[in-house]
Amino acid sequence: MQQTNRAIDRVIEAIGVKNVLVNEPMSSHTSFHIGGPADAVVFVNNEEELARVLGIVAEEDAPHMLIGNGSNLLVSDEGYPGIAIKLAGEFEVIKQDEEDKTLVTIGAARLMSSTAAFLTERGLAGFEFASGIPGSIGGAVFMNAGAYGGEIKDVCESVRVLCRAEEQGESGRYEARTLSNEDMDFGYRHSAAEDMGMIIVSAKMRFTEDDPAAIAARVEELREKRNSKQPVNYPSAGSTFKRPVGGYAAALIEQSGLKGYRVGGAEVSTKHSGFVINIGGATCEDVLAVMRHVRETVLADSGILLEPEVRLINCSL
Ligand SMILES: Cc1cc2nc3c(=O)[nH]c(=O)nc-3n(C[C@H](O)[C@H](O)[C@H](O)COP(=O)(O)OP(=O)(O)OC[C@H]3O[C@@H](n4cnc5c(N)ncnc54)[C@H](O)[C@@H]3O)c2cc1C
């Protein structure tokens, strides 16, 4: 705690008090609307600020984590004892290459929805699958987000990251690196960024040219499909569990008769049993209780142990 307080003071000095929210409820930064306070949420606006903040937290040995749009996070009711770093400002920039029009560099803080709108306008196809995913580019690359048969790995050419400098004795120094699609080792809801504690600052993605109206029609078709199948009107973190080998989490949960199962304000959605939703005032403990019951029941009924897709912050099953 002392290290964290010292780090927060130094961060305020380095990047200004307006970029630092102290004792900030994580419920304001998650799509679940759940989570107690983080010691601080820090907004960094460019790579230089990010490197400075990372240097400070490393030197002070203060716990920290990157957050994107908070759409895949379940944060403890006690909150997060550390510094949550959120990219903003220049990290939202998206830029089409002037010579190679199908290549686009997208800042990690840019939202998927506005990325899709930018690409549609310019007649660039290939991102339609991701247009309805409510996260940032950074979170999507980190998670190798996917939907409707597409995944980030299909369009991502390279990723710019900040990672710890390898030289001995320079614990606080981070350096920028560019990783190829192969280096990112994308798998199902997984990338090398997780294994190596890297921070994604931008991604270069490759698309194909098409008629903007045709792209817009496909985006709209998927939006309607999503809205008709998913409980988009309730706070959630999307699919609660990963797809198990040889099956679908939602089907297994439904077969176990758990649709509508509820603890406090948390419920297995009756519209899509793959989602646990916050029907009002749910705590993290409510959601965990639902998840535990679902896991145990599905395991007993089918022999399959569901693994969480939602990232558990300062809490566990
Ligand atoms: C209604 C709903 C529908 C959803 N549908 C889908 C879907 O169809 N497909 C799908 O894949 N997901 C889906 N999700 C889940 C979620 O939107 C994705 O996982 C998304 O990619 C998370 O992005 P985020 O920016 O919100 O990341 P966060 O939830 O903030 O973070 C997720 C992880 O990424 C890390 N991270 C975030 N940014 C960075 C960065 N710049 N550098 C390093 N690490 C970073 C965080 O530390 C964390 O571990 C859905 C969620 C909701 C609420």
Side-chain angles (χ1 to χ4, degrees):
M1 186 67 192
Q2 230 178 354
Q3 306 101 291
T4 309
N5 286 341
R6 242 190 342 254
I8 293 171
D9 288 344
R10 285 184 61 195
V11 167
I12 289 174
E13 209 170 291
I15 65 165
V17 71
K18 69 175 194 314
N19 291 314
V20 181
L21 302 173
V22 176
N23 204 22
E24 169 71 2
M26 288 300 291
S27 53
S28 305
H29 300 275
T30 58
S31 57
F32 239 143
H33 299 173
I34 290 173
D39 290 332
V41 174
V42 171
F43 294 86
V44 291
N45 296 297
N46 52 51
E47 256 185 58
E48 197 233 318
E49 281 186 6
L50 176 60
R52 284 167 81 186
V53 169
L54 290 172
I56 293 169
V57 293
E59 280 162 21
E60 298 294 348
D61 202 18
H64 61 281
M65 66 169 175
L66 245 285
I67 55 169
N69 202 38
S71 64
N72 203 34
L73 305 180
L74 176 63
V75 183
S76 152
D77 298 316
E78 276 71 55
Y80 173 65
I83 298 175
I85 302 171
K86 195 162 171 163
L87 308 183
E90 288 176 18
F91 293 109
E92 288 167 35
V93 171
I94 182 166
K95 200 167 175 291
Q96 183 176 20
D97 193 284
E98 276 171 22
E99 274 145 39
D100 185 351
K101 300 271 184 215
T102 59
L103 190 64
V104 180
T105 305
I106 316 169
R110 183 95 187 181
L111 291 181
M112 305 290 268
S113 51
S114 76
T115 300
F118 177 98
L119 297 170
T120 303
E121 230 173 74
R122 283 156 186 81
L124 292 175
F127 198 75
E128 295 91 316
F129 76 90
S131 55
I133 299 177
S136 66
I137 289 291
V141 170
F142 184 93
M143 298 291 302
N144 186 27
Y148 305 113
E151 282 180 317
I152 286 296
K153 81 167 182 352
D154 305 336
V155 289
C156 190
E157 277 210 351
S158 64
V159 180
R160 185 173 166 85
V161 298
L162 282 194
C163 48
R164 274 174 190 261
E166 277 156 17
E167 294 92 323
Q168 295 290 320
E170 286 197 70
S171 66
R173 205 167 72 76
Y174 275 73
E175 63 187 11
R177 280 173 62 193
T178 299
L179 302 187
S180 66
N181 178 300
E182 211 169 67
D183 295 335
M184 286 301 289
D185 193 26
F186 288 118
Y188 175 62
R189 302 296 172 265
H190 172 268
S191 74
E194 180 171 9
D195 306 332
M196 295 157 76
M198 295 181 303
I199 288 146
I200 295 147
V201 295
S202 65
K204 274 194 198 311
M205 296 194 186
R206 171 77 65 186
F207 303 102
T208 52
E209 286 172 317
D210 197 357
D211 172 23
I215 302 169
R218 287 195 294 272
V219 167
E220 180 55 21
E221 190 188 325
L222 292 181
R223 193 183 67 82
E224 279 171 19
K225 205 167 172 181
R226 194 177 271 274
N227 288 350
S228 70
K229 297 256 160 63
Q230 297 183 0
V232 289
N233 295 331
Y234 286 95
S236 79
S239 297
T240 314
F241 296 101
K242 288 184 180 171
R243 193 176 61 223
V245 179
Y248 285 96
L252 293 167
I253 294 166
E254 198 167 336
Q255 280 156 25
S256 285
L258 292 167
K259 246 185 176 179
Y261 176 78
R262 191 185 285 186
V263 176
E267 182 186 280
V268 174
S269 165
T270 51
K271 193 167 177 183
H272 188 312
S273 38
F275 284 54
V276 174
I277 55 173
N278 178 356
I279 55 169
T283 62
C284 176
E285 271 311 312
D286 292 342
V287 176
L288 290 172
V290 169
M291 288 175 72
R292 286 183 196 118
H293 181 72
V294 165
R295 270 187 124 198
E296 281 159 19
T297 312
V298 168
L299 181 63
D301 290 351
S302 68
I304 294 174
L305 183 65
L306 295 175
E307 292 299 342
E309 177 166 326
V310 45
R311 313 209 37 113
L312 306 178
I313 308 296
N314 196 28
C315 59
S316 56
L317 281 175

